[in-house]
Amino acid sequence: MTPEKLALTTNSRARKPRSDGTPDNPLAAELTRTLGHKKVLHHLSERLNYRYDAIQFGVTPLAVVLPESTADVVAAVKAAKAAGVPIVGRGAASGLSGGVTPLQESLVISFTRMTGLHIFPERREAVAQPGVVTLKVTEAAKPHGLMYPPDPASFRTSTIGGNLGENAGGPMCFKYGVTGDYVRALEFVDVDGDVHRLTRDCYDLAGLLIGSEGTLGLITEATLRLIPPPKFTRTLMSHFAEVGQAAEAVSSAIAAGAVPSKLEFMDRACVGAVEDYLHLGLPRDADAVLLVDTDGDDAEIVAAELELVAQACAAAGGTVRRAANDAEADALWRARRSISPSLGRIRPQRMNEDIVVPRSALPDVVREIRALGDASPFHLVQFGHIGDGNLHPNIMFDPRTEDTHAVHDLAHKIALVAIRHGGVLSGEHGIGTMKRDFMRDAVDPVTLNVLRDVKRALDPANGLNPGKILPDLLMDER
Amino acid sequence: MTPEKLALTTNSRARKPRSDGTPDNPLAAELTRTLGHKKVLHHLSERLNYRYDAIQFGVTPLAVVLPESTADVVAAVKAAKAAGVPIVGRGAASGLSGGVTPLQESLVISFTRMTGLHIFPERREAVAQPGVVTLKVTEAAKPHGLMYPPDPASFRTSTIGGNLGENAGGPMCFKYGVTGDYVRALEFVDVDGDVHRLTRDCYDLAGLLIGSEGTLGLITEATLRLIPPPKFTRTLMSHFAEVGQAAEAVSSAIAAGAVPSKLEFMDRACVGAVEDYLHLGLPRDADAVLLVDTDGDDAEIVAAELELVAQACAAAGGTVRRAANDAEADALWRARRSISPSLGRIRPQRMNEDIVVPRSALPDVVREIRALGDASPFHLVQFGHIGDGNLHPNIMFDPRTEDTHAVHDLAHKIALVAIRHGGVLSGEHGIGTMKRDFMRDAVDPVTLNVLRDVKRALDPANGLNPGKILPDLLMDER
């Protein structure tokens, strides 16, 4: 897959609808017959919106189904299978790896209308359909004294289905774990249209589906574990003259016994971008900024844990600023949450890496990636969930004027830095198309073959989100 | 699979060794040639020891390999494949579901000599070979202020490899999670003898292997997550005149916000068995006993959390006894840890169920299972990790004098009670052979077919622990 293949494409098979409003491609016509007009989009102007995620364009789908029930999903899957058209499941499309961009003429199943959500306080569980917006789960659980911890930066727009597809993380995942850690049971529709209900038994098929980006099945319901929220939270920001100091502070704070609930890192370029956008008074001259939360049910312990972090930051040469109250803490976290919109102002497009490396390798990795950025013609920023060693180097570019091959090459070099330091390609965004070619570097050929065998076991005809994760295979390339 | 098939069997292909000590079956001879005499057992008297786990007999293996490295495992797997002999991986064989009992003439690979263990305090990780005894991980981590939480009752003898194979839990799993929750990376050898190294990426092949009982691959190394141990622990015991009261106490304590680190249940028959054995002064006349730990880093909060539980127990009609110190707490927990040896004194064999049901269903489930026991000719005891709804109804029997078909039927009825109440077959012991036939009740046929497809993707010739988990398939029955 070369980058230009991902450029904006309209397609050939789906011509304009007839003047009477009935779709003229057979799949759209069949779906409209089965599901009714309200659940099927077939006008080009409507379909165009379903060709991209938050950072990447794909191929305009042949038709879009907006199911309202598992039965609708089954009907859509059967129709697509009968028509020999691949299926791409889609949540809020806020993903950052191309997971939901169709790579060929496809049926997109967009889950935004499947928003059923029920809280079972006694079982400490939420049962959610895939279209439920992530934040809604915690909002619904809150009156029962419960919360749903996974908190991707996009949690105000992203959906549970998308989070499951990419096994999304977030700032809280260092202490509380990622999406998959909260899944008790799943319902999914397979490529034949059969419905399965899974618990986390052997074989852990549910675990296999989580993070599989809709390539093995379409999740139509999830039973999610809820926890009581911590009673107290404290926040600090620390800035450093050199990026290695920040990484040292993180390592020594954790070695001293601190388990921060959030532990975020921004490099100088990232701080500059946020500051240009919001003018929050961030330390522009710092080489690295850490944002840290500690939380728990005992105010003194939470404060003491924050002091452990503060001491580690100071010992590593950092300047520490503690939030005096919730409003100050919110202001500090606003900086972190605003990274994505801030970067959008620099260049219209970005390649967002998602590497994870051992914490001990962080100083070297951050420096090597910065050197790669400096040697390139591109604006490169780094930030991420540094407690987990999860870094997001972002390459900013304008596809109209800049060489997308060079972007791809730089991203590849960054991936190779991570792999050389014992890291992996993705912490929380998934592989999608963006890191798909790098899988050959990260996974040895025999293991890649086993992954292909697993894919084939669940989707023999490669009808589910073809071309994602594994470095080959559109639907017709089997 | 009917129970009598599991009875003690010697086999035909493996005749007595020749008088010069060289094995006379071709596989044992080949293995001895490749790996040397010290790593291969071929005498019948040696092989006999490898036909059973903690509760079940199987077929005596053709040969046993005791590998000392991943390379030895590769050599053994390749030799078995070339000979067309199935492979059964084995840890300490303390399992309770028949996971390691060979069902046909096999090569047993016993991992007890692969005991490499390295602690990486800065990464909070342990890298363990499969033969490491579970408790050793925490013992090695302790000097670094770390622990490994999964604590199956057998953790003084069970191995990491066996724990991974069955995704073992333990009393601490209510608060801290099961074995799979602590796995960061795995190395495994596939059925062709290829070595794979996996992180918890997509597809989560590592998660698929965990709990798969050696039917998909042989785990040769695991990178395990360690955590700082809680600074304080408090313990109480409560006994109840009626089993439903205990279940109510559990539900209301958890609803009140308590997250006990351990929450164990024993019924009257179980208490009686332990008391007959150890004379600890347990309340023999109680219908149900709860044993509860709370833990954390703040002594006051840990005590307050214990009080929440104590109040819930008292409100439900229980009598509460708090442990005044660690010695008293140890004495109380000794009762729980002694259940297995206590039961061994009643009858020589037992069928140990491992159902998990919603906590709200516990009173009904416990009563229904007791009624089934009372209506049967067998001695039945119940205990388990009630916080998770994980119950272990045990049917005690003597296979020489009692009808093993009737034992199997009773176990089946118990499984059906769990399924009817929305439960699952196994919380921590695995499916093995014991609950294999019940998979048809628990998993619908189309999903069972998908599980078969997954098995086939990784082990097309069914050479890895055939006959386990899925309700069919010995190696020659494909």
Side-chain angles (χ1 to χ4, degrees):
Chain A
M1 192 68 195
T2 50
E4 78 270 35
K5 274 210 187 169
L6 299 175
L8 171 62
T9 325
T10 57
N11 47 21
S12 50
R13 263 200 270 178
R15 284 163 227 102
K16 272 189 216 158
R18 295 195 192 113
S19 53
D20 64 353
T22 58
D24 77 340
N25 83 65
L27 175 61
E30 169 60 22
L31 287 165
T32 307
R33 227 176 354 258
T34 318
L35 294 167
H37 276 281
K38 285 193 177 168
K39 296 179 184 168
V40 184
L41 307 179
H42 59 86
H43 291 290
L44 177 63
S45 59
E46 296 169 322
R47 290 184 282 117
L48 279 171
N49 297 328
Y50 292 85
R51 73 188 187 281
Y52 52 79
D53 69 0
I55 55 162
Q56 203 155 56
F57 282 103
V59 174
T60 304
L62 278 175
V64 178
V65 165
L66 301 163
E68 294 172 9
S69 66
T70 300
D72 288 348
V73 178
V74 168
V77 166
K78 288 188 170 170
K81 191 188 177 192
V85 171
I87 297 164
V88 181
R90 179 183 166 107
S94 54
L96 297 166
S97 62
V100 301
T101 56
L103 299 182
Q104 62 194 107
E105 295 185 336
S106 304
L107 170 66
V108 164
I109 300 183
S110 173
F111 285 95
T112 44
R113 288 187 190 165
M114 285 182 68
T115 55
L117 174 63
H118 298 279
I119 307 293
F120 297 90
E122 202 180 318
R123 283 157 40 194
R124 287 192 180 167
E125 284 175 0
V127 175
Q129 285 187 317
V132 171
V133 168
T134 313
L135 183 60
K136 297 263 181 202
V137 181
T138 279
E139 285 179 352
K142 204 171 179 180
H144 305 285
L146 294 168
M147 71 177 293
Y148 173 67
D151 61 341
S154 56
F155 70 162
R156 284 176 176 75
T157 48
S158 70
T159 60
I160 291 297
N163 292 178
L164 290 165
E166 303 295 355
N167 198 10
M172 287 182 77
C173 77
F174 174 58
K175 182 169 179 179
Y176 291 98
V178 295
T179 302
D181 295 318
Y182 289 84
V183 175
R184 287 240 168 95
L186 286 182
E187 179 188 84
F188 82 100
V189 176
D190 71 17
V191 72
D192 296 322
D194 287 321
V195 181
H196 306 267
R197 297 196 64 92
L198 306 169
T199 53
R200 303 303 298 264
D201 270 325
C202 68
Y203 302 129
D204 187 10
L205 200 53
L208 196 61
L209 279 154
I210 296 163
S212 73
E213 307 187 0
T215 62
L216 304 178
L218 296 162
I219 295 169
T220 46
E221 188 183 278
T223 303
L224 304 169
R225 190 164 60 88
L226 304 172
I227 66 167
K231 292 192 178 74
F232 302 96
T233 302
R234 294 291 304 274
T235 300
L236 70 73
M237 175 185 277
S238 184
H239 55 92
F240 300 85
E242 201 272 319
V243 71
Q245 295 173 333
E248 277 159 30
V250 167
S251 284
S252 61
I254 292 173
V259 186
S261 55
K262 302 181 187 175
L263 191 40
E264 297 289 303
F265 156 78
M266 295 186 277
D267 79 348
R268 182 195 302 254
C270 182
V271 168
V274 174
E275 197 54 21
D276 286 344
Y277 177 39
L278 292 174
H279 312 292
L280 297 168
L282 298 175
R284 270 183 187 283
D285 52 339
D287 201 43
V289 169
L290 290 182
L291 259 170
V292 183
D293 270 9
T294 59
D295 72 8
D297 291 342
D298 180 84
E300 277 178 39
I301 289 192
V302 173
E305 210 170 348
L306 199 79
E307 278 319 297
L308 277 183
V309 179
Q311 285 162 21
C313 288
T319 304
V320 176
R321 179 175 150 195
R322 294 170 190 78
N325 50 46
D326 287 355
E328 266 189 55
D330 281 353
L332 294 178
W333 279 106
R334 197 174 161 217
R336 173 64 182 88
R337 284 197 307 271
S338 306
I339 291 175
S340 277
S342 305
L343 299 182
R345 297 172 72 244
I346 298 175
R347 288 286 188 289
Q349 220 168 320
R350 59 191 171 115
M351 178 107 180
N352 187 337
E353 290 266 9
D354 178 35
I355 57 172
V356 184
V357 298
R359 268 197 304 273
S360 54
L362 274 170
D364 287 344
V365 167
V366 171
R367 280 189 211 108
E368 285 178 38
I369 292 174
R370 175 167 296 181
L372 287 173
D374 290 346
S376 84
F378 300 106
H379 196 85
L380 184 141
V381 306
Q382 299 191 68
F383 58 94
H385 315 304
I386 199 166
D388 296 307
N390 185 192
L391 277 183
H392 298 312
N394 272 237
I395 308 164
M396 324 302 302
F397 66 104
D398 186 335
R400 296 163 301 188
T401 58
E402 288 176 299
D403 177 6
T404 54
H405 282 288
V407 174
H408 191 79
D409 285 347
L410 178 54
H412 192 184
K413 282 177 188 154
I414 292 171
L416 291 175
V417 170
I419 293 165
R420 196 169 60 242
H421 285 278
V424 300
L425 296 180
S426 174
E428 54 180 10
H429 296 169
I431 300 298
T433 52
M434 253 188 51
K435 285 155 282 183
R436 196 185 65 152
D437 294 347
F438 314 156
M439 286 285 277
R440 285 203 185 85
D441 305 305
V443 183
D444 68 90
V446 281
T447 303
L448 218 43
N449 278 335
V450 175
L451 298 185
R452 282 194 193 96
D453 290 341
V454 169
K455 162 76 171 168
R456 229 171 269 130
L458 279 109
D459 180 21
N462 197 26
L464 293 173
N465 208 2
K468 305 300 167 67
I469 301 177
L470 298 172
D472 45 21
L473 290 182
L474 292 187
M475 195 177 182
D476 305 324
E477 296 176 359
R478 266 163 289 145
Chain B
M1 193 66 194
T2 48
E4 78 271 33
K5 273 210 185 168
L6 301 173
L8 171 63
T9 326
T10 58
N11 47 21
S12 51
R13 263 201 272 179
R15 284 165 225 99
K16 272 189 217 162
R18 295 196 190 112
S19 51
D20 64 356
T22 57
D24 77 341
N25 82 65
L27 174 60
E30 170 60 23
L31 287 165
T32 306
R33 226 176 355 258
T34 318
L35 294 168
H37 276 279
K38 285 192 176 169
K39 296 178 185 169
V40 184
L41 307 180
H42 59 86
H43 291 290
L44 178 63
S45 60
E46 296 169 321
R47 291 183 281 117
L48 278 171
N49 297 327
Y50 292 84
R51 73 189 187 282
Y52 52 77
D53 70 359
I55 56 162
Q56 203 155 54
F57 282 102
V59 174
T60 303
L62 279 174
V64 177
V65 166
L66 301 163
E68 294 172 11
S69 65
T70 300
D72 289 348
V73 178
V74 169
V77 166
K78 288 187 169 170
K81 191 186 176 192
V85 172
I87 297 163
V88 181
R90 179 183 166 106
S94 54
L96 296 166
S97 62
V100 301
T101 55
L103 298 182
Q104 63 193 108
E105 294 186 336
S106 305
L107 170 65
V108 163
I109 300 183
S110 173
F111 286 96
T112 45
R113 287 186 190 166
M114 284 182 69
T115 56
L117 174 63
H118 298 278
I119 306 293
F120 297 89
E122 201 179 319
R123 285 158 37 195
R124 287 191 181 167
E125 284 175 0
V127 175
Q129 285 187 318
V132 171
V133 169
T134 313
L135 182 60
K136 297 262 180 201
V137 181
T138 280
E139 284 179 351
K142 204 171 180 180
H144 305 285
L146 295 168
M147 71 177 294
Y148 173 67
D151 60 342
S154 56
F155 70 161
R156 284 177 176 75
T157 47
S158 70
T159 60
I160 291 296
N163 292 178
L164 289 165
E166 304 295 353
N167 198 10
M172 288 183 77
C173 76
F174 174 58
K175 181 168 180 179
Y176 292 98
V178 296
T179 301
D181 295 318
Y182 289 85
V183 176
R184 287 239 167 95
L186 287 183
E187 180 189 83
F188 82 99
V189 176
D190 71 17
V191 72
D192 297 322
D194 288 321
V195 181
H196 306 267
R197 297 197 64 92
L198 306 170
T199 52
R200 302 304 296 266
D201 270 325
C202 68
Y203 303 131
D204 187 9
L205 199 53
L208 195 62
L209 278 154
I210 296 163
S212 73
E213 308 187 1
T215 62
L216 304 178
L218 295 162
I219 294 169
T220 46
E221 188 183 278
T223 303
L224 304 169
R225 188 165 61 90
L226 305 173
I227 65 167
K231 293 193 177 74
F232 303 97
T233 302
R234 293 290 304 275
T235 300
L236 69 72
M237 175 185 276
S238 183
H239 55 93
F240 300 85
E242 202 270 320
V243 72
Q245 296 174 333
E248 278 158 29
V250 167
S251 284
S252 61
I254 292 173
V259 185
S261 56
K262 302 180 186 175
L263 190 41
E264 297 289 304
F265 156 78
M266 296 187 277
D267 79 346
R268 183 196 301 255
C270 182
V271 168
V274 174
E275 197 52 23
D276 286 346
Y277 178 39
L278 292 175
H279 313 289
L280 297 169
L282 299 174
R284 270 183 186 281
D285 53 339
D287 201 42
V289 169
L290 290 181
L291 259 169
V292 183
D293 269 8
T294 58
D295 71 9
D297 290 343
D298 180 84
E300 277 177 38
I301 289 192
V302 174
E305 209 169 348
L306 198 79
E307 278 319 298
L308 277 183
V309 178
Q311 284 161 21
C313 289
T319 305
V320 176
R321 179 174 151 197
R322 294 169 188 79
N325 50 46
D326 286 355
E328 265 191 58
D330 281 352
L332 293 179
W333 278 106
R334 196 175 162 216
R336 173 64 182 88
R337 284 197 308 272
S338 305
I339 290 175
S340 278
S342 304
L343 299 182
R345 297 172 71 245
I346 298 175
R347 287 287 187 288
Q349 221 167 322
R350 60 190 171 114
M351 178 107 181
N352 187 337
E353 290 266 7
D354 178 36
I355 57 172
V356 184
V357 297
R359 270 197 304 274
S360 53
L362 274 170
D364 288 345
V365 167
V366 171
R367 281 189 211 108
E368 286 179 38
I369 292 174
R370 174 167 296 180
L372 286 173
D374 290 347
S376 84
F378 301 106
H379 195 85
L380 183 143
V381 305
Q382 298 191 69
F383 57 96
H385 314 305
I386 200 166
D388 296 307
N390 186 193
L391 276 182
H392 298 312
N394 271 238
I395 309 163
M396 324 303 301
F397 66 102
D398 186 335
R400 296 164 300 186
T401 58
E402 288 175 297
D403 178 6
T404 54
H405 282 286
V407 173
H408 191 78
D409 286 347
L410 178 54
H412 192 185
K413 283 178 188 153
I414 292 171
L416 291 175
V417 170
I419 292 164
R420 195 168 61 242
H421 285 278
V424 300
L425 295 180
S426 173
E428 54 178 11
H429 297 169
I431 300 297
T433 52
M434 252 188 52
K435 285 154 282 183
R436 196 185 66 152
D437 294 347
F438 313 156
M439 285 285 276
R440 286 203 186 85
D441 304 305
V443 183
D444 68 272
V446 281
T447 303
L448 217 44
N449 278 336
V450 175
L451 298 185
R452 282 193 192 97
D453 290 341
V454 169
K455 162 77 170 169
R456 228 172 269 129
L458 278 109
D459 180 21
N462 196 24
L464 294 174
N465 209 0
K468 305 299 167 66
I469 302 178
L470 298 173
D472 44 23
L473 291 181
L474 291 186
M475 194 177 184
D476 305 324
E477 295 174 358
R478 268 162 287 145

